[in-house]
């Protein structure tokens, strides 16, 4: 992966992580770095799932892919928040 790919993954991870965090109700007890990491992982897994379902490349905005990524980020934020709350 080249430097522009890493930078774009971080930027997309920030956006996906923040949107996923906004979907989860209440206050989350995770930091910004965890949100970004969850967003990056959700973006990568969401892209793979969208490609597997054949909805990754459409003629316009890939709304289905974004929804999958945001949903995965919300699940990741909620799961990480639960593990942090148990401590």
């Amino acid at each position: 992966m080249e430097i522009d790919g890493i930078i774009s993954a971080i930027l997309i991870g920030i956006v996906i992580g923040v949107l996923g965090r906004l979907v989860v109700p209440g206050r989350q007890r995770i930091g910004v770095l965890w949100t970004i990491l969850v967003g990056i992982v959700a973006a990568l897994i969401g892209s793979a799932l969208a490609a597997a379902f054949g909805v990754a490349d459409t003629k316009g905005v890939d709304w289905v892919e974004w929804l999958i990524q945001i949903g995965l980020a919300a699940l990741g934020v909620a799961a990480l928040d639960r593990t942090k709350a148990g401590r």
Side-chain angles (χ1 to χ4, degrees), residues 17-42:
V18 168
L19 290 174
R21 193 170 178 153
L22 288 174
V23 171
V24 176
R27 185 174 186 269
Q28 293 84 36
R29 292 172 285 281
I30 63 172
V32 174
L33 290 177
W34 282 112
T35 302
I36 293 170
L37 288 174
V38 166
I40 291 170
V41 171

Side-chain angles (χ1 to χ4, degrees), residues 15-16 32 34 47-48 71:
V15 171
I16 295 295
V32 174
W34 282 112
S47 293

Side-chain angles (χ1 to χ4, degrees), residues 11-77:
L11 292 176
I12 291 171
I14 290 169
V15 171
I16 295 295
V18 168
L19 290 174
R21 193 170 178 153
L22 288 174
V23 171
V24 176
R27 185 174 186 269
Q28 293 84 36
R29 292 172 285 281
I30 63 172
V32 174
L33 290 177
W34 282 112
T35 302
I36 293 170
L37 288 174
V38 166
I40 291 170
V41 171
L44 293 172
I45 294 173
S47 293
L49 285 174
F53 290 130
V55 294
D57 294 321
T58 59
K59 292 187 179 195
V61 178
D62 297 326
W63 293 110
V64 175
E65 183 176 6
W66 275 84
L67 289 174
I68 292 170
Q69 292 171 336
I70 293 168
L72 288 172
L75 287 174
V77 166

